[in-house]
Amino acid sequence: MTIDAHPELPEFDYIRPATLMEASRFLADHPGEARPLLGGTDIFVRMRDGFWKDKYLVDVKRLDGTGNLSFDPQAGLTIGAGVNMNRVIAARPVQSYYPLLADACRSVASYQLRTRATIVGNICNASPAGDTIGACLVLGGLLNIHGVDGPRQVSLAGFFLGPGKTVLQPGDIVTSIQFPLPPQPAAGVYTKLGRNTWSDLSIVGVTAYGCVDPGSPSGYHFQVALASVAPVPLLVEAVAEYLGSQPPSAEAFQQAAHLAEDACNPIDDVRGSARYRKAMVRNLTARALQKTWDKLNTAV
Ligand SMILES: Cc1cc2nc3c(=O)[nH]c(=O)nc-3n(C[C@H](O)[C@H](O)[C@H](O)COP(=O)(O)OP(=O)(O)OC[C@H]3O[C@@H](n4cnc5c(N)ncnc54)[C@H](O)[C@@H]3O)c2cc1C
């Protein structure tokens, strides 16, 4: 086998449609040879390395509001597909009401990369290791999608089908992700275990989130999402159910951590063995839940 030490980008046509409908139609007319382009931080690497051979990249960054970030106390937060991660981190409403989202963005690579990389691109790439996806799951993200039949909404929780696979059809463009206003107080933690402390994909990623919930027997609602330990980013329903029924305590968080471990199905790869990942899920989930609980108590 010969390895090209200096791979180059293959030739492609850059398409810049004037409207979302034009973009959707172009994508639908060229299935398998055209894909939507945002920051390109996944696309250009995959094309350079020969995994993707698209003839057309369709730039959807500036179309019909995809560059907007807006907040409304009733409707919550809407982040346009073209909004890069540094803009998300710097946005006041994100810092005030969705700090977990900013923490998750900060864990992605470097400042330079985050001036290009977007949350929607991270989601649509559908890697189980995507660092922002856990925060988007626990915060109840809803995707706004434009297809050839017009707009529709899809819950992020039902979006992923497998590594690199989603419910998106040819012609579909995710235009934004929106989040309801979290109940106050709420708190969250993203713990990323990598081979180094910067710029590496996670061996394991654990997102924990908690908020008050007068409707649940425990008075609280907790969620845990896991990265890099299953074919898709995993929202662990068993943790939410269990901690909804138990008063928060160190023992309950330990028990919930065992449920998270049971729910995941990791593989061995260059970054870590399945056995190590499972043990890390258990340890990091217990810690992340405890930290979330501590933060929640400080916020009350
Ligand atoms: C050096 C380096 C370090 C990295 N480190 C990390 C890391 O630490 N953590 C991490 O999670 N990721 C990391 N990544 C991966 C990458 O930066 C993220 O996945 C990024 O968020 C992708 O966003 P983007 O805007 O660049 O997407 P793009 O590359 O433009 O697109 C990604 C995928 O989504 C599809 N897509 C894009 N927009 C849409 C849309 N509107 N509708 C439907 N489909 C769409 C594209 O067709 C493509 O398949 C790294 C990448 C590099 C190059």
Side-chain angles (χ1 to χ4, degrees):
M1 183 173 89
T2 45
I3 295 175
D4 185 354
H6 300 286
E8 286 177 0
L9 266 185
E11 286 207 0
F12 60 89
D13 283 346
Y14 171 78
I15 311 291
R16 192 152 161 205
T19 63
L20 275 171
M21 190 46 91
E22 199 185 308
S24 284
R25 290 216 176 103
F26 187 94
L27 288 161
D29 288 346
H30 298 86
E33 46 178 26
R35 68 173 62 240
L37 167 73
L38 286 171
T41 61
D42 280 314
I43 291 180
F44 292 130
V45 174
R46 304 293 285 174
M47 287 180 76
R48 179 201 63 187
D49 292 348
F51 293 109
W52 292 350
K53 300 181 191 300
D54 298 276
K55 279 166 73 177
Y56 307 102
L57 294 185
V58 182
D59 196 339
V60 296
K61 274 193 289 297
R62 295 170 191 85
L63 298 177
D64 307 349
T66 54
N68 299 344
L69 184 153
S70 62
F71 175 71
D72 175 281
Q74 310 302 323
L77 179 72
T78 302
I79 300 175
V83 176
N84 71 43
M85 293 187 189
N86 284 336
R87 267 184 71 197
V88 173
I89 292 168
R92 278 280 167 81
V94 174
Q95 292 170 3
S96 302
Y97 300 106
Y98 308 84
L100 176 62
L101 211 48
D103 289 346
C105 288
R106 260 188 228 103
S107 78
V108 173
S110 59
Y111 183 88
Q112 288 86 342
L113 187 104
R114 296 192 298 264
T115 60
R116 300 290 307 175
T118 62
I119 290 183
V120 166
N122 201 228
I123 290 169
C124 293
N125 192 48
S127 160
D131 278 312
T132 66
I133 299 174
C136 294
L137 281 168
V138 300
L139 290 166
L142 279 176
L143 296 172
N144 292 309
I145 297 173
H146 187 281
V148 282
D149 296 326
R152 69 184 194 279
Q153 255 189 355
V154 166
S155 159
L156 185 61
F159 183 69
F160 301 105
L161 301 178
K165 294 202 175 69
T166 69
V167 300
L168 292 178
Q169 297 295 315
D172 282 351
I173 297 163
V174 176
T175 53
S176 63
I177 181 163
Q178 70 183 66
F179 302 96
L181 187 69
Q184 298 300 320
V189 167
Y190 181 50
T191 304
K192 175 178 178 176
L193 177 69
R195 288 172 298 184
N196 54 48
T197 48
W198 32 258
S199 205
D200 191 23
L201 294 178
S202 65
I203 300 169
V204 168
V206 176
T207 308
Y209 171 78
C211 61
V212 286
D213 180 3
S216 89
S218 72
Y220 294 92
H221 176 61
F222 284 94
Q223 295 259 43
V224 163
L226 303 173
S228 298
V229 290
V232 294
L234 209 60
L235 189 62
V236 189
E237 300 291 352
V239 168
E241 270 172 41
Y242 176 73
L243 290 176
S245 67
Q246 299 293 316
S249 68
E251 294 71 38
F253 297 145
Q254 288 290 347
Q255 189 51 39
H258 281 287
L259 295 173
E261 182 187 4
D262 291 346
C264 70
N265 183 20
I267 53 165
D268 296 316
D269 71 10
V270 287
R271 280 177 283 133
S273 68
R275 192 161 157 252
Y276 176 65
R277 285 185 152 110
K278 275 208 162 243
M280 289 304 104
V281 164
R282 189 178 64 242
N283 292 341
L284 297 177
T285 300
R287 269 193 233 169
L289 283 167
Q290 185 64 52
K291 264 197 202 168
T292 300
W293 176 235
D294 295 344
K295 273 189 172 184
L296 202 52
N297 282 318
T298 332
V300 173

